[in-house]
Amino acid sequence: MEETTKRKNPKRKKLVIIVAAVVLAAIIAEFIRSNYVIDVENIVYQNSSIPDSFDGTVIVQVSDYHNHGGKYDGRLTEKIKEQNPDYIFITGDIADSILTDTDKANAFLEKISEIAPCYLVWGNHDNELEQRDKDSMTKCCEENGITVLDSETVYLQRGEDKILLAGTSDYLYSNKADEMMKNYPAQEQFTIWLHHYPEDFQDIVDMSSQAGCKADLIFTGHAHGGLFRFPFPNGLYAPGQGLFPEYTSGEYTYNGSEMIVSRGVGNSGYTRRFADSFHLVAVELKK
């Protein structure tokens, strides 16, 4: 009996080694995929308040680029072009305050500005840059026709129709945001809001509703998909939300408004992703 057991042990050990090797290879493959592949999520957003002239408008959201640079830019800009966007909304962290390279950030901004009209809000990494780096990016936006919404509102116009576009480039409760709300339009109209931080979702809806012009559609980023989405369906950790965050990717609704969260198209500092690939969002507005 003992001899039979001893003969089986080498086979069991070999099987364990093979299984462990397969699992390890799968983990490595997914780790590489998550930090290489750019997933495109196509969303159809329907709202009867969308003006007729904007029916069918395509918006591409770019978030959390973190001055990625290199050959990646070609793949990313090609993905953006393929969506044939009418507008590009950039929801913060184009640069990275840890591994800063504003030349790469500016080069990317120049490329996408040639695809469609761009509207940008800053994120926490952009706001934490040295002033000279922030000034460099601001100048790049000015020279390339990119509208920076530093807690401001503008109108998008097609024909006789208009959409209100609000953009907050700082945390929601700041002096700049307070100033914007003092002049926030009170008349009800279809409104899109750009903001970096998804954890402010309900506050944006409540604040804009109280002012008389509720944000119907909100674009945010910042959460990086929660970084590790397996075995955590909504991610393990997101800045501003902590462990097991609520808002990390896709569509969320509250009180008649919708928020779309991009997982971002870059990595912050030394962080990397798992089961959480780069995320480009393309939204079609339908009346």
Side-chain angles (χ1 to χ4, degrees), residues 64-69 93-97 99 125 224 266-269:
D64 298 87
Y65 172 72
H66 289 280
N67 50 237
H68 196 295
D93 284 2
I94 297 305
D96 190 272
S97 62
L99 301 175
H125 277 261
H224 290 243
N267 285 320
S268 168

Side-chain angles (χ1 to χ4, degrees), residues 46-64:
Q46 293 184 299
N47 190 317
S48 60
S49 299
I50 293 171
D52 291 339
S53 299
F54 286 89
D55 187 29
T57 295
V58 175
I59 296 164
V60 165
Q61 180 193 9
V62 177
S63 195
D64 298 87

Side-chain angles (χ1 to χ4, degrees), residues 54-117:
F54 286 89
D55 187 29
T57 295
V58 175
I59 296 164
V60 165
Q61 180 193 9
V62 177
S63 195
D64 298 87
Y65 172 72
H66 289 280
N67 50 237
H68 196 295
K71 294 180 180 179
Y72 175 76
D73 272 13
R75 293 195 295 118
L76 180 55
T77 52
E78 193 58 38
K79 288 278 188 184
I80 295 171
K81 287 179 185 176
E82 287 172 3
Q83 312 316 309
N84 195 25
D86 296 290
Y87 302 100
I88 298 173
F89 292 163
I90 306 162
T91 49
D93 284 2
I94 297 305
D96 190 272
S97 62
I98 300 169
L99 301 175
T100 304
D101 191 333
T102 50
D103 288 342
K104 289 180 179 178
N106 290 342
F108 176 66
L109 289 173
E110 289 176 16
K111 290 171 187 172
I112 63 173
S113 70
E114 297 173 357
I115 299 173

Side-chain angles (χ1 to χ4, degrees), residues 80-243:
I80 295 171
K81 287 179 185 176
E82 287 172 3
Q83 312 316 309
N84 195 25
D86 296 290
Y87 302 100
I88 298 173
F89 292 163
I90 306 162
T91 49
D93 284 2
I94 297 305
D96 190 272
S97 62
I98 300 169
L99 301 175
T100 304
D101 191 333
T102 50
D103 288 342
K104 289 180 179 178
N106 290 342
F108 176 66
L109 289 173
E110 289 176 16
K111 290 171 187 172
I112 63 173
S113 70
E114 297 173 357
I115 299 173
C118 296
Y119 294 83
L120 175 150
V121 293
W122 303 121
N124 56 298
H125 277 261
D126 305 314
N127 288 326
E128 290 165 6
L129 294 173
E130 295 286 341
Q131 191 59 49
R132 65 177 183 276
D133 291 325
K134 180 80 174 290
D135 291 343
S136 169
M137 291 181 65
T138 301
K139 183 179 178 182
C140 176
C141 290
E142 292 172 353
E143 292 176 345
N144 290 281
I146 297 172
T147 302
V148 177
L149 297 174
D150 195 358
S151 298
E152 298 168 274
T153 60
V154 296
Y155 284 100
L156 304 180
Q157 185 151 0
R158 306 188 80 174
E160 298 298 316
D161 295 326
K162 294 190 296 185
I163 282 177
L164 178 66
L165 180 64
T168 31
S169 274
D170 205 342
Y171 292 100
L172 196 58
Y173 296 101
S174 65
N175 291 334
K176 286 183 178 179
D178 288 343
E179 285 300 314
M180 185 188 86
M181 293 312 296
K182 289 178 183 177
N183 301 306
Y184 192 72
Q187 66 272 27
E188 291 186 12
Q189 57 198 299
F190 185 75
T191 301
I192 296 175
W193 194 306
L194 309 184
H195 189 65
H196 186 59
Y197 312 96
E199 58 268 28
D200 292 336
F201 175 34
Q202 294 187 16
D203 287 342
I204 288 174
V205 175
D206 292 340
M207 177 188 290
S208 58
S209 182
Q210 291 167 10
C213 191
K214 185 175 72 173
D216 296 285
L217 180 59
I218 301 160
F219 289 87
T220 63
H222 189 50
H224 290 243
L227 289 177
F228 297 91
R229 294 183 71 81
F230 179 83
F232 315 101
N234 217 29
L236 173 63
Y237 175 84
Q241 298 181 69
L243 290 170

